[in-house]
Amino acid sequence: MRAELKGKTSSISVHNSTILSRPHSSLSGALKGCLGSLDGGCIEKLLLHCASALESHDVTLAQQVMWVLNNVASPVGDPNQRLTCWFLRALISRASRVCPTPTPTPMNFNGSSARIDTRFMSVTELARYVDLIPWYRFGFCAANIAIYKAIQRCPKVHILDFSISHCMQWPTLIDALSKRPQGPPSLRITVPSFRPSVPPLLNISTQQIGLCLSKFANSKNIPFQFNVIDNHNTSIDPSSLSLEEDETLVINCQHWLRYMLNEEEDDFINATKSLNPRIMVVVDEDSDMSDSSLTSRITTCFNYFWIPFDALETFLAKDSAQRLEYEADIGQRIQNIIGLEGKQRVERLESCVKVSERMRNGGYLNVPFCDDVEAELKALLAEQASGWGMKREEDTLVLTWKGHNSVFVTAWVTDELAR
């Protein structure tokens, strides 16, 4: 899909008499036309070949392909090489679980130096992380303006925030509300106690985040409350929300739905609809990695996660610690998507088309974004590398890298409010 772009980034010799002295016949077929120049398209073919070998329990072939991939993988190479490191690690991890006999692990795998450590950031580090590329800020910006417009003359506002980004979007909205011509509303933000254990991770508690927001809101003379509701998964219990009749309800859902099973996602959407919010904003990554087929997930995953790897290449040095840490967080996701199955696989990303279909089936109607949103997003992207762009697909706004969809933003109202 993106081989034509990825192919420009590397030309790696793989002539190695030890590895390929007696290649498996199927391996020879996989390498046909690739020797001497393993570009993105050839790497993708090898990854698929390895996945097929693992699914058919062909340990010998799987190991041979891994050896070839190891000659490409480098944690400090070009985007293809760095991405290959994480796929190689995921495939080795998968092989250790799914093969009927122990799979000999080749020595000195280049991918072995790419470590995944649990990394907890300070608030300052998280702010730098969010600002690195517009992956999060694009959704923050669009959602905040849409919410601001939706609650324009509302004296009391309650935001239910389902997000993995630790409330990082709210200071900007609080500041905007403090300058509202008719005066700021009283604001209540409610967040769930449970959060998927996925990057980015913060070194302070949710309650401490609330205290920070409270201090900021007080400095802006906005009456503010921060509530944490007890929950044990990504679902929602309407009875725990303490909703008040005179407050306007907003639901913010950023990079959240993908951590639910299909039936849980539908239940969540139905539960939010029963609350009749003034607006619900849904932001997520525009790719489909929910397929049960490993080969399908590899193809989608390789072509999608190439985007942040390539974007980071444009402005960070190959050995930049910040770059390596960001890539390691993506690597953790790759390992979950490729290396695990069943309930252990928590990453179940769905495309914008699928998510929108779920929202409509749940009784929501898609609403367009105003021109102000597009203007603000264009200003945001003007500060970024030249490869970032934005497009409108019907009522959806999409962040793109070199023309390829990365993150989508949608706004929804219940069919009752639309009448």
Side-chain angles (χ1 to χ4, degrees):
M1 191 182 337
R2 298 191 179 94
E4 72 281 0
L5 287 171
K6 292 180 293 189
K8 297 176 183 178
T9 64
S10 65
S11 181
I12 306 152
S13 174
V14 297
H15 294 295
N16 185 311
S17 59
T18 302
I19 296 173
L20 300 178
S21 57
R22 284 190 294 272
H24 191 288
S25 59
S26 296
L27 180 60
S28 299
L31 288 171
K32 187 177 181 181
C34 291
L35 284 176
S37 178
L38 278 187
D39 64 9
C42 287
I43 293 170
E44 185 180 330
K45 288 178 184 177
L46 286 168
L47 292 171
L48 293 173
H49 219 62
C50 186
S52 297
L54 290 175
E55 289 186 320
S56 62
H57 303 299
D58 189 337
V59 178
T60 302
L61 175 58
Q63 187 181 17
Q64 286 183 330
V65 179
M66 287 178 188
W67 270 112
V68 177
L69 289 168
N70 184 54
N71 279 258
V72 181
S74 169
V76 290
D78 66 29
N80 283 331
Q81 293 171 293
R82 300 166 85 102
L83 187 58
T84 302
C85 263
W86 294 107
F87 274 86
L88 183 58
R89 182 186 179 102
L91 288 168
I92 293 171
S93 175
R94 186 182 182 93
S96 70
R97 283 187 293 273
V98 304
C99 288
T101 58
T103 304
T105 301
M107 298 297 291
N108 300 321
F109 255 64
N110 291 332
S112 65
S113 61
R115 298 176 57 199
I116 295 182
D117 296 320
T118 301
R119 182 169 63 96
F120 291 88
M121 305 179 200
S122 67
V123 172
T124 302
E125 288 170 332
L126 179 61
R128 288 201 297 264
Y129 182 94
V130 166
D131 287 343
L132 196 58
I133 58 176
W135 210 262
Y136 291 99
R137 289 181 64 200
F138 184 84
F140 292 172
C141 181
N144 282 346
I145 298 173
I147 292 168
Y148 182 91
K149 296 287 186 181
I151 60 173
Q152 266 186 335
R153 290 176 178 79
C154 303
K156 294 182 68 176
V157 177
H158 186 178
I159 298 175
L160 298 183
D161 182 29
F162 300 94
S163 170
I164 65 168
S165 52
H166 307 283
C167 297
M168 285 296 292
Q169 80 182 78
W170 301 127
T172 303
L173 179 64
I174 290 171
D175 182 63
L177 290 173
S178 72
K179 302 169 185 174
R180 202 170 67 166
Q182 64 271 35
S186 65
L187 178 63
R188 182 154 65 116
I189 294 178
T190 296
V191 301
S193 60
F194 174 84
R195 176 191 179 278
S197 184
V198 296
L201 300 173
L202 199 57
N203 66 358
I204 64 173
S205 68
T206 304
Q207 287 77 8
Q208 288 174 296
I209 294 171
L211 288 175
C212 292
L213 281 178
S214 295
K215 288 179 182 178
F216 183 73
N218 289 337
S219 73
K220 298 293 182 179
N221 296 316
I222 292 183
F224 183 82
Q225 292 181 42
F226 186 84
N227 300 329
V228 181
I229 53 172
D230 289 331
N231 66 323
H232 303 291
N233 52 41
T234 49
S235 62
I236 178 176
D237 177 10
S239 65
S240 68
L241 300 176
S242 303
L243 300 178
E244 299 175 9
E245 290 186 4
D246 62 341
E247 63 185 7
T248 301
L249 181 65
V250 170
I251 298 177
N252 181 64
C253 196
Q254 301 248 355
H255 304 275
W256 189 262
L257 293 178
R258 67 171 177 260
Y259 296 108
M260 300 180 185
L261 296 170
N262 289 344
E263 59 275 13
E264 291 174 341
E265 191 173 347
D266 292 334
D267 289 345
F268 177 87
I269 292 170
N270 290 332
T272 61
K273 199 262 184 181
S274 71
L275 302 175
N276 202 28
R278 175 67 62 92
I279 189 172
M280 179 170 177
V281 181
V282 177
V283 180
D284 220 319
E285 299 171 357
D286 195 10
S287 185
D288 194 342
M289 300 182 199
S290 60
D291 202 299
S292 60
S293 164
L294 174 62
T295 54
S296 175
R297 294 204 306 273
I298 283 179
T299 296
T300 305
C301 191
F302 187 76
N303 283 282
Y304 182 73
F305 283 123
W306 165 83
I307 293 173
F309 276 79
D310 191 59
L312 294 171
E313 173 83 356
T314 62
F315 66 99
L316 288 178
K318 293 186 183 300
D319 60 351
S320 160
Q322 191 178 25
R323 179 177 178 181
L324 290 167
E325 289 170 350
Y326 199 100
E327 290 173 344
D329 288 345
I330 300 170
Q332 180 175 321
R333 295 184 59 194
I334 292 170
Q335 184 153 355
N336 187 267
I337 293 166
I338 304 305
L340 300 175
E341 295 292 349
K343 291 186 177 180
Q344 288 183 306
R345 180 162 62 85
V346 299
E347 293 277 352
R348 294 181 179 86
L349 187 64
E350 290 186 326
S351 66
C352 178
V353 172
K354 283 190 176 181
V355 172
S356 296
E357 183 179 3
R358 288 186 187 279
M359 293 294 292
R360 293 188 185 96
N361 290 341
Y364 280 97
L365 297 176
N366 202 186
V367 292
F369 290 93
C370 65
D371 292 340
D372 289 352
V373 176
E374 291 197 44
E376 285 292 327
L377 291 175
K378 287 177 181 177
L380 167 67
L381 297 179
E383 302 170 359
Q384 306 291 324
S386 59
W388 293 107
M390 179 193 67
K391 63 182 178 182
R392 182 190 286 271
E393 294 182 348
E394 296 181 348
D395 291 331
T396 300
L397 296 179
V398 183
L399 173 68
T400 64
W401 173 254
K402 295 183 178 178
H404 301 291
N405 290 14
S406 58
V407 176
F408 71 85
V409 187
T410 54
W412 303 86
V413 297
T414 62
D415 48 12
E416 289 90 345
L417 283 177
R419 290 180 188 138

